[in-house]
Amino acid sequence: MAIRLQGVSKIFMRSGRSRRPLYRELLNIRARLARDGGKHVLRDVNLEVPDGSRVGVIGRNGAGKSTLLRVIAGIYEPSAGAVSVDGRVCCFLEPGAGAAPALPVRDNVFLYAALAGLGYRETLQSLPRILDFCSLSDQEYSWVEHLSFGMQQRLFMSIQLEVMRLKRAEVFLFDEFLMGVDKSFRLRVEDALTHYPSERQIVLHASHDHELMLRTCPNAIFIDDAGVRRFGPTADVLDLYRNG
Amino acid sequence: MNGRQFLYVLYQTTRATYLAQEKNSALGLVWHLLNPLLMTVVLFLVFRNVGLLRDIEHYQLYILVGLIHYNFFINSTTRSAANFLSSRSLILNTRVPLELLVLRQTCIEGVTLVVEVLLVLLLGVFLGVHLSATLLLYPLVFVGVLALSLGASLFLCGLVVFLTDLSYVWSLFCRVLFFLTPVFFAAEVVGDGLPRLALEINPLTGLLSLAREALLYGGHVFLAEVGLALLGPALVLAFGVIVFRATRARVADYI
């Protein structure tokens, strides 16, 4: 079993997310202590995702989809329970996180590929393929900040897919990764997501694009009220989500 | 992430951060050199005729060596903390090791320090400094200031996410530190008492003394002096690592 979550909970202390001057925090400390029981974003989640799965993560805004992906990625430490992930994790949870928009496309490919787990030689060999995939072959030296949002999305997604194709990671976590891209690129990504993953690789992606889910993910997880309400065939999970 | 991949990611992120910082600057690295040079000129003109300072050999270079190491320490620590706080998106959305985010700013400032040291050597030759075998000791000084800055940066970054006001406290501390570090004066001119004690426990004092022997005076240096100068930075580094390890698991929750 490549991903296993046992009784995982994640609590955020409400006050921890409001950074105010120290004197205001101190003046307010009694009120803070009174209300700060924390907020459960995930509550007692049990989940087993086998190797070779392509799983959609469905849920309303604020249901805990991104938090679930971050807990699996090891970015958030669970407040309770245990997470075990076999293999390397590659995540695309926010477009361009870690990229340097002030630098050219070429530099960003090397930077982003390094963060995704590729070495220099692999990136150099993959560079033409990455640029071709996102239709940026003629803009290798253009500044990324001069590209449209959609073109930036294309670039970063293409690098992640190259990592998948080269099998340099086993677990891929995506969060609304096709936001802002046109239909032709979307079809290309769907094709890659259907054909690239090997029997050892797992793809988990959170999205509100249910048509995409149906086409690319045989199974889905429905996150509701900080817990997993259903994990099963995507069509059934979507029915439950829409009706209830 | 293995050691080799860590170094490669460190190289890529350091390079990208440096190039992005320098992108809109016409003079780039030259600005980093102008700052200590200008400060040296001002301090030299103001203090060159003051009592015991008059006797310091190559006083202008004495100040410059002090300034570049002091600047390295405050720039790398202050900017590490600022960069760490502004790396929210990177911390929350990638699996980049958090230590790497601290280390990249120390590396950027380290490159600047190397260039500044070369400038000191060049000016030294021009002003009649005789370089000796003691110069070979300088890499130890470099390692010492690197360890000291990294330790303080780890300490700061480990806590600044939870206590944002720490940035202001640190900025105040750095101002005070300037007068408790023998940048433009010799430690010997400070009388007994609290300031003297502060100078003696300041790890920069021993490192600056060694740096000046290596780069300017070429005098005999005892092994114990080197060991003592490196002890402070080693302790600060160990303390920084302990604090950072204790807080790193909660950084993503609070940033």
Side-chain angles (χ1 to χ4, degrees):
Chain A
M1 201 64 67
I3 299 176
R4 177 175 287 159
L5 277 72
Q6 290 175 303
V8 167
S9 294
K10 182 65 191 170
I11 304 170
F12 287 120
M13 303 311 277
R14 291 190 183 107
S15 58
R17 302 208 138 198
S18 65
R19 285 214 304 268
R20 296 186 298 182
L22 194 59
Y23 69 91
R24 283 184 64 189
E25 291 292 321
L26 291 173
L27 286 174
N28 224 4
I29 198 155
R30 191 178 292 176
R32 238 184 87 179
L33 289 173
R35 68 177 145 79
D36 209 345
K39 186 190 175 197
H40 265 92
V41 182
L42 293 177
R43 192 192 301 269
D44 196 25
V45 172
N46 293 292
L47 186 68
E48 290 186 347
V49 183
D51 285 335
S53 305
R54 276 176 283 132
V55 181
V57 183
I58 297 163
R60 292 174 184 85
N61 293 129
K65 303 184 295 292
S66 302
T67 304
L68 175 71
L69 296 183
R70 288 191 178 114
V71 166
I72 293 171
I75 294 167
Y76 286 146
E77 202 154 273
S79 309
V83 179
S84 105
V85 178
D86 289 340
R88 238 188 66 80
V89 177
C90 185
C91 48
F92 186 74
L93 302 178
E94 186 184 282
L103 299 186
V105 167
R106 183 189 168 89
D107 288 355
N108 271 278
V109 170
F110 280 94
L111 172 64
Y112 209 74
L115 288 168
L118 293 189
Y120 177 77
R121 281 189 188 164
E122 283 169 313
T123 312
L124 196 63
Q125 281 169 2
S126 295
L127 185 66
R129 191 185 171 89
I130 291 169
L131 295 178
D132 181 53
F133 194 91
C134 58
S135 313
L136 282 171
S137 300
D138 57 341
Q139 296 197 60
E140 192 176 334
Y141 295 97
S142 301
W143 306 115
V144 166
E145 63 192 2
H146 292 170
L147 301 177
S148 69
F149 175 76
M151 290 309 286
Q152 292 184 23
Q153 282 279 76
R154 280 177 171 232
L155 173 64
F156 301 127
M157 189 63 208
S158 304
I159 299 166
Q160 300 277 335
L161 289 173
E162 185 64 7
V163 176
M164 187 186 285
R165 193 186 70 83
L166 293 172
K167 299 182 177 38
R168 290 303 309 270
E170 285 74 40
V171 177
F172 291 84
L173 307 171
F174 302 129
D175 194 356
E176 293 292 3
F177 61 92
L178 286 179
M179 217 165 33
V181 299
D182 59 28
K183 195 174 175 186
S184 67
F185 186 72
R186 183 176 285 256
L187 290 173
R188 221 181 293 176
V189 172
E190 283 181 24
D191 183 58
L193 281 177
T194 316
H195 294 103
Y196 283 1
S198 70
E199 288 175 359
R200 288 268 305 133
Q201 289 175 312
I202 292 177
V203 179
L204 245 78
H205 70 87
S207 176
H208 293 284
D209 185 342
H210 299 155
E211 295 305 314
L212 173 76
M213 291 263 172
L214 279 169
R215 286 196 297 271
T216 57
C217 301
N219 290 299
I221 301 168
F222 177 20
I223 305 277
D224 192 26
D225 196 21
V228 174
R229 191 157 157 202
R230 179 81 196 272
F231 180 20
T234 306
D236 297 351
V237 172
L238 278 172
D239 275 346
L240 182 68
Y241 173 68
R242 285 169 187 145
N243 299 323
Chain B
M1 190 179 283
N2 61 30
R4 194 172 165 187
Q5 183 68 13
F6 182 91
L7 287 176
Y8 178 60
V9 177
L10 177 64
Y11 165 72
Q12 284 294 345
T13 51
T14 304
R15 179 178 179 274
T17 309
Y18 178 76
L19 290 175
Q21 281 174 5
E22 301 289 309
K23 190 192 167 194
N24 294 319
S25 162
L27 295 179
L29 189 67
V30 177
W31 286 118
H32 296 279
L33 303 177
L34 282 178
N35 178 313
L37 279 176
L38 191 68
M39 277 295 288
T40 299
V41 170
V42 172
L43 289 169
F44 177 69
L45 292 177
V46 172
F47 292 108
R48 66 179 165 166
N49 291 321
V50 173
L52 292 167
L53 302 181
R54 209 178 318 164
D55 302 331
I56 296 177
E57 197 183 352
H58 299 300
Y59 184 48
Q60 61 278 64
L61 291 177
Y62 180 95
I63 296 173
L64 187 58
V65 170
L67 264 179
I68 60 174
H69 290 87
Y70 168 80
N71 283 350
F72 169 76
F73 177 74
I74 58 157
N75 287 343
S76 57
T77 51
T78 312
R79 289 174 187 167
S80 284
N83 278 350
F84 195 74
L85 277 178
S86 63
S87 301
R88 184 173 189 273
S89 161
L90 192 60
I91 291 169
L92 286 183
N93 298 297
T94 67
R95 284 170 44 84
V96 62
L98 298 185
E99 294 83 357
L100 192 142
L101 300 180
V102 185
L103 205 50
R104 71 176 170 181
Q105 193 61 42
T106 312
C107 289
I108 290 173
E109 301 301 332
V111 172
T112 309
L113 180 61
V114 168
V115 177
E116 286 170 340
V117 167
L118 291 175
L119 178 75
V120 167
L121 290 174
L122 206 69
L123 284 173
V125 171
F126 183 71
L127 294 170
V129 168
H130 296 290
L131 298 176
S132 75
T134 320
L135 182 62
L136 297 174
L137 269 182
Y138 185 74
L140 287 177
V141 178
F142 187 75
V143 169
V145 284
L146 218 63
L148 182 66
S149 303
L150 187 59
S153 299
L154 285 167
F155 166 79
L156 265 181
C157 294
L159 294 178
V160 77
V161 172
F162 309 96
L163 297 165
T164 319
D165 280 13
L166 194 60
S167 303
Y168 299 105
V169 175
W170 189 256
S171 152
L172 202 66
F173 171 76
C174 288
R175 281 175 195 272
V176 175
L177 187 70
F178 183 73
F179 297 99
L180 295 175
T181 305
V183 172
F184 62 93
F185 58 87
E188 295 74 33
V189 303
V190 179
D192 288 341
L194 209 57
R196 180 74 190 205
L197 181 71
L199 264 175
E200 280 174 5
I201 59 170
N202 179 356
L204 279 170
T205 304
L207 288 171
L208 287 190
S209 168
L210 264 188
R212 284 165 178 146
E213 287 303 331
L215 299 173
L216 304 179
Y217 305 131
H220 188 72
V221 177
F222 293 102
L223 202 62
E225 276 180 74
V226 180
L228 215 58
L230 294 178
L231 181 66
L235 291 175
V236 172
L237 179 62
F239 182 64
V241 169
I242 290 168
V243 170
F244 195 78
R245 283 196 174 171
T247 59
R248 58 163 298 153
R250 305 298 300 276
V251 164
D253 288 10
Y254 281 79
I255 198 163

